């Protein structure tokens, strides 16, 4: 069974930093592109970032470019999201998401999400 | 960025009904369109990819169609567990964008 377990969320002050982790199990982590998707309270889904299997192809949404860094450790089956210079607009649940293999991107497995609140 | 627009934003229906949700892209995205279902407090669930292909395990009462800029998700014979919010998402290019969601409620 595919499992994605996020951790590292919490309350942080504006301008602060937070690092999310996503522990993957039940599948060959190193064979899948991975993503972060976020959802602000009461709002819709917003794609944040993606990383390829080797970690050398990365893309970000404009809203987080230059502040967030996605990375992965295939030996530890873990995905990361380093978030710096946080603002209230970054308050959201952050989902770790697996990309299905083959064909175009589709988010076929989701973690439960890590809540991040940016507030003073 | 490609903008995805869903209609309606909300929809009331009864068990056994057939409903259709529409998703429109701001530019052509071929058939690179996915659908998800989300229930309150839960992670989204992957339903359909490439506009019309059901993910394994998704009931056959769900169906998708469309190409280019206009797409539909149809749910036939609505079941109690289908009442949720549905999102379309384009996988044509980054940034991957979602529709704003359609909330399907019990009438």
């Amino acid at each position: 069974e595919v499992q994605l377990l996020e951790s590292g969320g919490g309350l942080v002050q504006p301008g602060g930093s937070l690092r999310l982790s996503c522990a993957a199990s039940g599948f060959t982590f190193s064979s899948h592109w991975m993503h972060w998707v976020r959802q602000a309270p009461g709002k819709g889904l917003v794609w944040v970032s993606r990383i390829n299997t080797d970690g050398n192809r990365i893309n970000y949404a404009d809203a987080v470019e230059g502040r967030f860094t996605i990375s992965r450790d295939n030996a530890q089956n873990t995905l990361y999201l380093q978030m710096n210079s946080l603002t209230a607009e970054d308050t959201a649940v952050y989902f770790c998401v697996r990309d299905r293999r083959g064909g175009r991107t589709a988010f076929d497995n989701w973690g439960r999400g890590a809540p991040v609140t940016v507030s003073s | 960025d490609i903008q995805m627009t869903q209609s309606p934003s909300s929809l009331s229906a009864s068990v056994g009904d057939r409903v259709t949700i529409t998703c429109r892209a701001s530019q052509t995205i071929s058939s690179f369109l996915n659908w998800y279902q989300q229930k309150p407090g839960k992670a989204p669930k992957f339903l359909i990819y490439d506009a019309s292909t059901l993910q394994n395990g998704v009931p056959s009462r769900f169906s998708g169609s469309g190409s280019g800029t206009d797409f539909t998700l149809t749910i036939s014979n609505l079941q109690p567990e289908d009442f949720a919010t549905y999102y379309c998402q384009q996988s044509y290019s980054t940034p991957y964008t979602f529709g704003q969601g359609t909330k399907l409620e019990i009438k």
Side-chain angles (χ1 to χ4, degrees), chain B residues 48-61:
Chain B
I48 289 172
Y49 62 95
D50 293 346
S52 61
T53 305
L54 257 59
Q55 171 70 343
N56 290 341
V58 174
S60 59
R61 62 181 180 272

Side-chain angles (χ1 to χ4, degrees), chain B residues 11-27:
Chain B
L11 177 60
S12 294
S14 301
V15 172
D17 284 355
R18 176 181 176 177
V19 298
T20 297
I21 298 168
T22 297
C23 177
R24 175 165 289 175
S26 60
Q27 66 182 74

Side-chain angles (χ1 to χ4, degrees), chain A residues 39 47 50 104-105 107 111, chain B residues 32 34 36 38 43 91-92 96:
Chain A
Q39 187 170 36
W47 175 82
R50 75 168 178 181
R104 288 284 188 165
T105 281
F107 306 131
Chain B
F32 303 133
N34 306 317
Y36 304 86
Q38 187 179 32
S91 57
Y92 184 81
Y96 299 123

